[in-house]
Amino acid sequence: QVRLVESGGGLVQPGGSLRLSCAASGFTVSGVFMKWFRQAPGEAREWVATIVPSGGVTFLGDSVKGRFTISRNNAENSISLQMNALKSEDTAVYFCNAEIDGRNYWGQGTQVTVSS
């Protein structure tokens, strides 16, 4: 059974940092495309970052490039999203996503609020 559990969200001041984690079970994260998305109130879900299988090549959305980093921990079967230089516009619920055999699986999300 595929399961994704996000953690690490919270309240942070502008310019601060947070690290989100996504613990996976029921499959191996190194074998599939893993992604982070986010959704702000009243807005559509937005793609944030992708890490490809095996080699670890990553892609980042333009709005987070240079500030966010996606990584994978094969030993813990998890992925992370390191977020630096946070802005108020980064406020959203962040979701972990796994694409397995053409089907998308989602976690429950973790809230990130950037505010002074």
Side-chain angles (χ1 to χ4, degrees):
Q1 180 180 357
V2 173
R3 189 173 184 219
L4 299 169
V5 180
E6 301 95 335
S7 61
L11 173 64
V12 63
Q13 293 186 343
S17 297
L18 277 177
R19 186 177 181 86
L20 306 183
S21 294
C22 172
S25 57
F27 71 102
T28 303
V29 297
S30 62
V32 304
F33 284 86
M34 296 293 299
K35 303 174 186 177
W36 286 98
F37 287 77
R38 67 186 182 184
Q39 188 166 20
E43 298 188 13
R45 193 165 293 191
E46 175 191 17
W47 168 73
V48 174
T50 297
I51 185 164
V52 305
S54 302
V57 173
T58 64
F59 299 93
L60 294 166
D62 287 342
S63 61
V64 304
K65 203 168 294 183
R67 301 187 297 122
F68 290 13
T69 304
I70 183 172
S71 61
R72 181 172 58 222
N73 186 321
N74 292 338
E76 295 184 355
N77 203 37
S78 66
I79 65 168
S80 296
L81 186 69
Q82 178 65 42
M83 307 186 294
N84 299 327
L86 283 161
K87 307 175 182 179
S88 58
E89 51 263 45
D90 295 318
T91 295
V93 178
Y94 284 71
F95 297 90
C96 177
N97 168 275
E99 184 181 326
I100 304 172
D101 296 330
R103 178 177 174 178
N104 281 297
Y105 294 85
W106 299 90
Q108 83 288 348
T110 186
Q111 175 71 47
V112 171
T113 302
V114 184
S115 175
S116 55

